[in-house]
């Protein structure tokens, strides 16, 4: 019996290939091939389709071809427009782990493999970001555009947001991920609107693509809407935008890509993905209809994605793309120290905790960090309790101050304050002026020193301060470790950002095919429902 299909013409020429000769799909049929579904008195079975379009093997006289399942490519799991918009091969983003942990090496390797990727520029000084962007641009050239940088909300240093925007425009960076913003900021609107132009076909072309990380509906809506006049008009008046750019900005959403951030490492609201994603997908549709957009923003997912099962569940729920973070921190390209990476490789799903955020300490904002092997979360929470209890160091009882210096900070407060003054004298002198007038703010800056240094010690591998390591981590890290156990990805030295990405995507394609077969009524073995890591190319 002949089965006519045109799917072969859609196959990419450079498919990843298994190196160990293992079966390439459930029921032993490659996921990149169509599958015939044959039914008879004995039940439903899957059959190969030969190159000539015929069902391979005989079909019994009491059997009938009841359907054909299409090929499954990792490239096809999300929204096809994602790859075309950003010049990448896969609907997969290597997330921007702050302070350069998502390093230049990580960005270069991921971009060359066809993944979308962001440099972890949050928390770095503008000259450091400039140096990193230059290195990435030199390595990748001008043809590869599937990479970008991270603009994180800096409530203590809002002037740096606009400096960052100016630098990205000057350096030709065309993708920016905006994170930790509770509302739109001028720098985001500036990046989104600058360089907008009308194409010959009438569509609006972006110069800079904004990826907005959100975990709340009320935060998502401004990014899914046109830029407000209250932010556009001052930018026009200041000469940063032309009147034409502002006019075009009123016809498109601020962000073309919205990343729904669930239970992730670092800044997180610990939102449950099955609840949050449908709400944001519905909001994206509704705002596109409300404002008459030609295309709605794409909605992707980040947080909690450390296994193929998690990846395929996100795509099945409607995600246009997926973002990984914690699992990439343990890779050889990560700027985290080897000591820190080995700690991550031993983590389970429950080895995480919430701790105060260095950049938003006074606001009570928290980040999710590794708990196993470190006291950072407990000590950070104690610092916040002390901050809420006392108005100044001078007000503290002597025994409290002694315990603070000896058991948490590890140094006298006066030494830390001198170091902090030197830092802010160069970075933001107004912080020193404020601290001199407000003793409680001085205390906050000293405590932020500890929170800041926790990440620095983890990066440099300061083993004598291992108990104070701040390593951003979500439960996905533990899930990944369980999945990788016993495979070539278990040793830390084998964990590369590309092998992790390709294996998660290949596994998601495998499980997608397994779900197709299951829904068609084909019995599956345990081996059909599982994908183990293996070297891919």
């Amino acid at each position: 019996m002949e089965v006519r299909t045109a799917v072969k013409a859609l196959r990419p020429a450079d498919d990843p290939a298994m190196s160990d000769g293992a079966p390439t799909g459930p029921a032993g049929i490659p996921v990149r091939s169509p599958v015939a579904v044959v039914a008879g008195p004995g039940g439903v079975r899957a059959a190969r389709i030969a190159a000539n379009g015929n069902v391979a093997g005989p079909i019994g006289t009491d059997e009938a071809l009841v359907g054909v399942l299409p090929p499954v490519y990792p490239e096809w799991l999300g929204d096809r427009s994602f790859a075309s918009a950003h010049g990448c091969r896969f609907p997969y983003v290597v997330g921007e782990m702050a302070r350069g942990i998502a390093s230049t090496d990580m960005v270069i390797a991921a971009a060359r493999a066809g993944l979308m990727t962001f440099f972890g520029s949050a928390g770095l000084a503008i000259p450091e970001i400039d140096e990193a962007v230059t290195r990435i641009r030199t390595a990748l050239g001008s043809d590869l555009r599937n990479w970008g940088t991270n603009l994180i909300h800096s409530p203590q240093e809002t002037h740096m947001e606009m400096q960052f925007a100016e630098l990205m425009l000057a350096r030709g960076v065309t993708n920016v991920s905006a994170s930790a913003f509770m509302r739109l900021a001028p720098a985001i609107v500036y990046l989104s609107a600058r360089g907008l132009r009308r194409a010959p076909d009438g569509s609006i072309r972006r110069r800079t693509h904004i990826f907005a990380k959100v975990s709340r509906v009320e935060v998502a809506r401004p990014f899914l809407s046109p830029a407000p006049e209250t932010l556009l008009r001052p930018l026009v008046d200041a000469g940063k935008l032309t009147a034409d750019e502002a006019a075009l900005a009123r016809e498109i959403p601020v962000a073309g890509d919205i990343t729904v951030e669930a239970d992730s490492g670092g800044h997180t609201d610990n939102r449950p993905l099955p609840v949050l994603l449908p709400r944001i997908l519905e909001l994206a549709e509704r705002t596109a209809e409300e404002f008459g957009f030609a295309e709605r923003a794409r909605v992707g997912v980040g947080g909690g994605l450390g296994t193929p099962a998690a990846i395929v569940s996100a795509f099945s729920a409607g995600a246009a793309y997926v973002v990984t973070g914690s699992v990439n921190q343990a890779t050889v390209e990560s700027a985290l120290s080897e000591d820190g990476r080995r700690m991550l490789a031993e983590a389970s799903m429950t080895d995480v905790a919430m701790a105060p955020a260095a950049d938003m300490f006074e606001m009570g904002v928290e980040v999710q960090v590794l708990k196993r092997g470190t006291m950072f979360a407990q000590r950070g929470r104690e610092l916040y309790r002390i901050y809420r209890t006392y108005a100044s160091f001078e007000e503290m009882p002597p025994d409290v101050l002694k315990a603070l210096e000896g058991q948490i900070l590890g140094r006298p407060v006066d030494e830390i304050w001198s170091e902090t003054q030197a830092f802010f004298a160069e970075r933001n002198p107004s912080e020193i002026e404020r601290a001199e007038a407000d003793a409680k703010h001085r205390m906050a800056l000293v405590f932020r020193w500890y929170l800041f240094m926790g990440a620095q010690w983890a990066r440099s591998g300061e083993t004598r301060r291992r108990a104070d390591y701040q390593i951003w981590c979500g439960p996905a890290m533990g899930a990944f470790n369980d999945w990788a156990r016993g495979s070539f990805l278990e040793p830390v030295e084998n964990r590369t950002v590309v092998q992790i990405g390709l294996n998660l995507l290949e596994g998601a394609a495998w499980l997608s095919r397994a779900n197709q077969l299951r829904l068609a009524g084909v019995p599956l073995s345990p081996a059909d429902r599982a994908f183990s890591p293996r070297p891919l190319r």
Side-chain angles (χ1 to χ4, degrees), residues 293-315:
F293 297 147
E295 297 179 355
R296 72 163 176 82
R298 288 173 292 270
V299 178
V301 166
L305 305 181
T307 64
I311 298 289
V312 76
S313 66
F315 283 128

Side-chain angles (χ1 to χ4, degrees), residues 370-389:
L370 180 68
K371 179 174 65 175
R372 181 187 177 103
T374 171
M375 297 289 290
F376 178 82
Q378 298 95 310
R379 290 173 176 176
R381 287 196 296 268
E382 177 63 10
L383 290 181
Y384 190 67
R385 187 196 67 79
I386 293 172
Y387 173 76
R388 295 294 301 272
T389 302

Side-chain angles (χ1 to χ4, degrees), residues 82 90-97 101-103 106-107 109-111 113-120 146-148 177 213 321-325 327-329 331 333 496-498 500-502:
F82 181 84
F90 301 101
Y92 181 102
V93 179
V94 176
E96 62 277 15
M97 294 164 290
I101 290 177
S103 65
M106 185 178 293
V107 170
L115 310 174
M116 186 69 197
T117 176
F118 287 94
F119 173 67
N146 52 319
W147 65 277
S177 177
K213 277 190 171 180
Y321 58 93
V322 294
V323 182
T324 58
V327 298
N328 301 316
Q329 263 197 122
T331 63
E333 297 93 354
T496 69
V497 68
V498 173
I500 287 175
L502 292 183

Side-chain angles (χ1 to χ4, degrees), residues 475-529:
M477 188 74 248
F480 176 87
N481 288 336
D482 288 342
W483 175 60
R485 190 165 291 115
S487 77
F488 88 105
L489 282 179
E490 182 174 8
V492 173
E493 57 270 20
N494 287 346
R495 296 186 181 189
T496 69
V497 68
V498 173
Q499 282 300 318
I500 287 175
L502 292 183
N503 270 275
L504 288 174
L505 286 164
E506 188 73 24
W510 178 293
L511 295 181
S512 293
R513 168 54 60 77
N515 287 337
Q516 288 179 340
L517 293 171
R518 181 176 59 85
L519 291 172
V522 177
L524 298 176
S525 69
D528 291 329
R529 297 191 296 268

